[in-house]
Every structure is written in structure tokens, then in C-alpha cells.
Amino acid sequence: MKNLFLFILLASYSVVSMSQEIEKTFVPYYQTEDGIQEFERVSSKIEAKAIGFGYGGVNQYLTVFNSKNSPTRFKSGSLPKFLMKLDPGIDPLDLVIISKADVVKKRKTYRRFVQQGHNMGGAKDLSEHLTIPELKPVEGQENLYEMVFKKPLVPGEYAFQPIYKGQQAANILATNNNVRIYCFGID
């Protein structure tokens, strides 16, 4: 009985401490033994690139210059719990999209994440680059969700696609085409 009480007390403490550490909405976090951590937050440039002289269509990228790898690293097969808090009333279906970086030449010093692509026939299939995790509510936490992956993420560089909301959505292209993204790598 004493052990059961201790377990319930520890479980409730970890849920309370998790909610206190996650303050920002629409920002991804990951959980370690040390608590809740933020992913690398970095500025990226929105660019478009023609593939095969335009016959392969055009891809839109989020490019991070002067940084080939993210300092936030995980081991393949042992990802921590990914978490995100949402505003009340938001439908979490297909809200979070994670993009795998294109492989670039070794001498290049940037990461390039596919955001979307178009060809002469319409939208391109980018399923090899984009992963949409399922967002499951965390029990006992209001508006807090855990990201669950249907397939394991393979080694590489990854970034969370930006989630535009409010005034940010209206002004995104009116500025200098820079967007903040959250990145991580898997070894």
C-alpha cells in the first residue's frame, strides 16, 4: 500500500512539473531524465529551387545556412518523448509535420528541409521527406500532446515545419523570408 501511494505521488509530481515547464504553445519539446528540453531553434530562409531545369518541378525549402548538423542529437531507435502544447479548441490532426533534410554535398555547410513541392501536374509526392506524427493527449494534462510515430525515424537531420498562427500567418512573406524552425538530428 505504501509503495502504491509513493508511485501515485511520484507520477502526479512528474505530471505537475511537466505542465509547469511547458509554457509556450505550438513549440515542440522533448522529455529527458533532467526534465523538459527545447529543440534547437534556428533561423531558416524560405527558398524555391527548380529540379532538373524545371522539368522535375519546383521544391520550396527551409534552408539553415552555416550549420550542417543540429547540436540536438538522438540515437536511432531510442527517441525521447516529443511533446507539444496547443491552444484550446485546436484540432491536432495533421498539425505537426517533420521534414527530413535533403542530402547535400559533403563540402556544403547548410541544411535544406523540403517544405513543399510542385510539378507541372500539381503537387509532388514528398512522403519520403515529410513525416506526420499522431498527436495523442497526455493523460491528466490539458492541451498537452505526445507525438507518436507510425514508422521509426531514420538517421539524418530533421526540422519541425513552422506552424503559422494569428498575425504571423498574415505577415510571413511580407518580411525577409526568414522563419524560425526547431531542429534535431538522429545518429
Side-chain angles (χ1 to χ4, degrees):
M1 185 67 174
K2 196 178 210 182
N3 289 339
L4 178 63
F5 177 72
L6 183 62
F7 174 75
I8 292 171
L9 183 65
L10 287 174
S12 64
Y13 173 75
S14 67
V15 167
V16 169
S17 67
M18 187 186 312
S19 66
Q20 291 172 348
E21 294 180 39
I22 297 181
E23 297 174 358
K24 301 177 208 164
T25 59
F26 301 102
V27 173
Y29 294 89
Y30 64 96
Q31 187 174 13
T32 65
E33 293 125 11
D34 300 331
I36 303 297
Q37 308 291 324
E38 283 193 39
F39 288 91
E40 172 196 25
R41 184 173 184 236
V42 65
S43 179
S44 66
K45 183 101 172 145
I46 300 173
E47 333 180 272
K49 181 178 183 216
I51 309 298
F53 298 105
Y55 292 107
V58 176
N59 285 351
Q60 182 174 316
Y61 294 98
L62 296 171
T63 304
V64 178
F65 291 103
N66 300 319
S67 176
K68 185 124 175 128
N69 297 307
S70 173
T72 303
R73 312 298 299 173
F74 305 113
K75 296 285 183 214
S76 181
S78 62
L79 289 179
K81 190 183 287 190
F82 289 7
L83 302 166
M84 183 178 283
K85 188 173 187 177
L86 302 178
D87 287 340
I90 297 291
D91 182 9
L93 186 65
D94 296 346
L95 181 67
V96 177
I97 300 173
I98 298 174
S99 179
K100 186 173 188 300
D102 263 356
V103 176
V104 294
K105 296 177 185 172
K106 289 192 186 268
R107 69 176 192 270
K108 302 290 184 182
T109 59
Y110 60 85
R111 292 175 268 166
R112 186 173 64 196
F113 303 97
V114 177
Q115 190 173 27
Q116 59 184 330
H118 303 281
N119 60 21
M120 292 180 196
K124 291 170 74 173
D125 178 20
L126 298 173
S127 58
E128 67 181 77
H129 296 284
L130 303 178
T131 301
I132 301 173
E134 181 182 342
L135 294 180
K136 289 193 171 186
V138 174
E139 194 172 315
Q141 292 294 305
E142 193 172 335
N143 303 319
L144 185 63
Y145 294 85
E146 177 184 354
M147 296 173 212
V148 178
F149 299 96
K150 295 176 181 114
K151 300 184 303 187
L153 298 177
V154 298
E157 297 296 318
Y158 291 88
F160 288 89
Q161 296 280 336
I163 299 171
Y164 305 115
K165 59 186 189 317
Q167 189 65 27
Q168 182 185 28
N171 293 335
I172 189 62
L173 293 177
T175 61
N176 59 3
N177 288 342
N178 282 340
V179 178
R180 294 278 181 189
I181 58 175
Y182 297 90
C183 301
F184 64 96
I186 298 178
D187 298 321

